[in-house]
Amino acid sequence: MVDFRRDIPLAITFIIGVIAVLDYYTTIPIFINTFTVIKNWGVVLQAFALGLGAVNLLRVHGRRISERRDDWYFSAVLLAMMFIFIIVGLITGQYESGATYNWLYNAIYLPLGSTMYSSLAFYMAYGAYKVLRARTFEAALLFTTAVLVIIGNTPIFPAMFPGFFHIREWIFGPIVGGAYRGIRIGVGIGAVVLGIRTLIGLETGYLGRR
Amino acid sequence: MDVPREVIMALVLISMIIPALNPLGLPLMVGDMSRAWYRTVDELPEGSVILFDIAFGSGGYPSLGPGTIAAFHQMFEKGHKIIMMATDLEGSMMYPLIMDSVKPEQNYGAVYGEDWVFFGYIAGGQTAMAGILGDIRALVSTDYQGNDIDSLAVMDGVNGADDFDLVASITTSGDIAEGWVYQGYSQYNRPVIGGCLSMMTTSIKPYYDTGQLLGLMDGIKGAADLEFLTKHPGDAIVSSDILSFSQTLVLIFIAVGNIAYWIQKGGNS
């Protein structure tokens, strides 16, 4: 029996997947042109997903506020800022963001965003102090590698002793590069298998069902 | 013996504030990856068309902003045409910040629409990259200011991947950095250069080693290198002093932690 809720999405996936593969491996104009249209649909759909995200944010945090859950006032601040940015953006800028919008962003969001990221430096310094201890042979290997990479990354040391730079490059090259390529090749093979399974309808997890 | 967290963090803060207030101009060794970025842009003939993705936001700005500014200085100085876009939502907000520092009109006599254009944010990650490289006009009809792209001189004859002499991106996202390699290099066979956070270097550098990325600007160190090479010293060179101070302090902490551990272990045994 035909299950439209399952079979129609599978058919769409198959058709689009085949066109994508033919676009990549052939130079036949009809596939290239068709896939150009599909790519543009993809961009539009993902832009819509942003709007959907905003609606979802409103639902989740609106509920937190109405039920007065723990730290509900953070949700109130989040929604208030979201509406302020939306309203100011709509009023002051049609295409390019206006001066007021830029000021809001530069005075509030930019320093907050930068601070969030920069605060990592403090935790990483403390983490390095607490964790990087040569307790065992394996820990000593990790410790030595970490110390050499930190020295190689600290601008003053390679400038004074270029050997540290080359040691860091050697760690990043044959050791890290080799391991990472192994991982990426594994991921790549997995992606090909997943792609084939998805194309032939064996993988249906993306439909929200098993 | 255990140094309290507050003490370590306070010392790290002090090690950052001193060089920030009093830049010392500590020596710098320019890395191969940044040198390769610089050389790739430098060797392009004047008037080459570069596709540039500003793919970072406020979190990445302290690390990647200075490098992006230095990169644009070099590109405008060389008289290249730059097609800018953003695959990060906040890229559109980074664009005015960066242009306020570069000042292409004042410094290089460049004109918007003739020498550069900004498309704004394009959703979709790799789909957007494939769209831009495949057929620009099928994906984008107006620039960020609402101008019809066909009315802009910089877009004359620029339709897709074949018209770009170089693809460049600076990003905080591994997916975006790898995406440009997959789409720009693998799919469309374009020369690609990339910029990323220092912590991403381990995962992105293999693409540089294989030649899929012709240059790589890694974090604030790479940005300082580029500022030095382009002779436009800025925040990154000051930050490299801060990096030298704070990372040396981290090394001291690591040494103290280990010495304390081994003394304690010796005492226990």
Side-chain angles (χ1 to χ4, degrees), chain A residues 101-167:
Chain A
Y101 189 89
N102 279 343
W103 180 84
L104 266 177
Y105 181 87
N106 293 342
I108 298 173
Y109 194 81
L110 183 69
L112 285 174
S114 303
T115 306
M116 281 291 287
Y117 177 70
S118 307
S119 62
L120 275 178
F122 296 94
Y123 291 101
M124 284 166 88
Y126 184 66
Y129 164 71
K130 288 290 283 183
V131 176
L132 280 179
R133 294 200 179 159
R135 291 186 172 93
T136 60
F137 175 71
E138 289 83 357
L141 276 180
L142 181 69
F143 167 84
T144 311
T145 312
V147 167
L148 288 172
V149 169
I150 294 173
I151 291 174
N153 264 344
T154 306
I156 192 170
F157 293 119
M160 291 168 70
F161 311 102
F164 284 124
F165 176 77
H166 298 300
I167 292 171

Side-chain angles (χ1 to χ4, degrees), chain A residues 23-24 36 39-40 42-43 46-47 50 95-97 101-102 105-106 109-110 113-114 117 120-123 125-126 128-130 132-135 143 147 150-151 153-159 162 165-166 168-169 172-173 176-177 180-181 184, chain B residues 2-3 5 8-9 12-13 16 27-29 31 58-59 62-63 90 93-94 97 121-124 127 130 138-139 144-146 178 182 187-188 197 199 201-203 205-207 209-210 218 240 244 247-248 250-251 253-254 257-258 261-262:
Chain A
D23 167 72
Y24 193 91
T36 298
K39 279 186 284 195
N40 296 343
V43 170
Q46 293 199 38
L50 289 170
Y95 289 107
E96 201 169 12
S97 50
Y101 189 89
N102 279 343
Y105 181 87
N106 293 342
Y109 194 81
L110 183 69
S114 303
Y117 177 70
L120 275 178
F122 296 94
Y123 291 101
Y126 184 66
Y129 164 71
K130 288 290 283 183
L132 280 179
R133 294 200 179 159
R135 291 186 172 93
F143 167 84
V147 167
I150 294 173
I151 291 174
N153 264 344
T154 306
I156 192 170
F157 293 119
F165 176 77
H166 298 300
R168 169 193 177 267
E169 287 297 287
F172 272 19
V176 175
Y180 190 74
R181 273 180 215 158
R184 290 306 304 176
Chain B
D2 206 6
V3 182
R5 188 170 66 172
I8 288 180
M9 291 188 176
V12 170
L13 184 64
M16 289 175 173
L28 192 73
M29 181 188 175
S58 55
S63 278
E90 282 187 67
M93 301 308 296
M94 295 296 108
L97 273 178
Y121 170 62
I122 303 175
T127 315
L139 182 66
Y144 190 49
Q145 297 174 4
E178 291 183 331
Y182 301 154
Q187 167 78 327
Y188 289 99
L197 296 171
M199 69 173 84
T201 309
T202 44
S203 56
K205 190 172 177 290
Y207 297 108
D209 293 334
T210 53
D218 61 330
S240 72
S244 287
Q247 289 191 174
T248 304
V250 169
L251 287 168
F253 287 144
I254 293 170
N258 276 277
Y261 170 75
W262 285 103

Side-chain angles (χ1 to χ4, degrees), chain B residues 197-257:
Chain B
L197 296 171
S198 297
M199 69 173 84
M200 292 158 63
T201 309
T202 44
S203 56
I204 304 301
K205 190 172 177 290
Y207 297 108
Y208 168 76
D209 293 334
T210 53
Q212 290 164 301
L213 280 177
L214 295 180
L216 180 60
M217 183 173 59
D218 61 330
I220 201 74
K221 166 71 174 70
D225 292 351
L226 208 60
E227 285 184 354
F228 177 80
L229 290 167
T230 58
K231 300 182 179 64
H232 285 284
D235 291 343
I237 285 184
V238 175
S239 298
S240 72
D241 280 359
I242 299 172
L243 213 58
S244 287
F245 262 69
S246 55
Q247 289 191 174
T248 304
L249 190 71
V250 169
L251 287 168
I252 293 169
F253 287 144
I254 293 170
V256 168

Side-chain angles (χ1 to χ4, degrees), chain B residues 143-163:
Chain B
D143 69 353
Y144 190 49
Q145 297 174 4
N147 304 308
D148 185 343
I149 61 168
D150 286 327
S151 69
L152 304 172
V154 69
M155 292 303 298
D156 285 349
V158 179
N159 299 307
D162 290 344
D163 305 310

Side-chain angles (χ1 to χ4, degrees), chain A:
Chain A
M1 200 178 116
V2 178
D3 177 358
F4 289 109
R5 288 183 62 191
R6 180 181 182 277
D7 294 343
I8 290 176
L10 284 181
I12 293 170
T13 306
F14 177 76
I15 292 165
I16 290 178
V18 168
I19 294 170
V21 170
L22 290 170
D23 167 72
Y24 193 91
Y25 289 107
T26 70
T27 51
I28 302 167
I30 189 170
F31 296 125
I32 294 169
N33 295 337
T34 309
F35 195 57
T36 298
V37 174
I38 292 169
K39 279 186 284 195
N40 296 343
W41 287 355
V43 170
V44 174
L45 282 172
Q46 293 199 38
F48 269 104
L50 289 170
L52 205 64
V55 172
N56 197 38
L57 208 66
L58 193 65
R59 280 185 58 217
V60 170
H61 289 276
R63 196 176 301 141
R64 278 174 68 101
I65 295 166
S66 64
E67 292 172 4
R68 291 288 190 277
R69 287 195 213 152
D70 291 346
D71 300 331
W72 62 271
Y73 39 87
F74 289 129
S75 298
V77 172
L78 186 146
L79 291 187
M81 289 312 298
M82 189 171 93
F83 281 113
I84 288 170
F85 269 87
I86 289 172
I87 291 164
V88 172
L90 288 174
I91 292 172
T92 64
Q94 189 186 358
Y95 289 107
E96 201 169 12
S97 50
T100 316
Y101 189 89
N102 279 343
W103 180 84
L104 266 177
Y105 181 87
N106 293 342
I108 298 173
Y109 194 81
L110 183 69
L112 285 174
S114 303
T115 306
M116 281 291 287
Y117 177 70
S118 307
S119 62
L120 275 178
F122 296 94
Y123 291 101
M124 284 166 88
Y126 184 66
Y129 164 71
K130 288 290 283 183
V131 176
L132 280 179
R133 294 200 179 159
R135 291 186 172 93
T136 60
F137 175 71
E138 289 83 357
L141 276 180
L142 181 69
F143 167 84
T144 311
T145 312
V147 167
L148 288 172
V149 169
I150 294 173
I151 291 174
N153 264 344
T154 306
I156 192 170
F157 293 119
M160 291 168 70
F161 311 102
F164 284 124
F165 176 77
H166 298 300
I167 292 171
R168 169 193 177 267
E169 287 297 287
W170 181 74
I171 292 169
F172 272 19
I175 299 178
V176 175
Y180 190 74
R181 273 180 215 158
I183 294 168
R184 290 306 304 176
I185 290 167
V187 170
I189 293 168
V192 170
V193 173
L194 185 70
I196 293 169
R197 283 178 58 85
T198 305
L199 267 184
I200 59 179
L202 291 176
E203 203 66 48
T204 55
Y206 66 97
L207 297 175
R209 59 169 73 178
R210 289 178 68 82

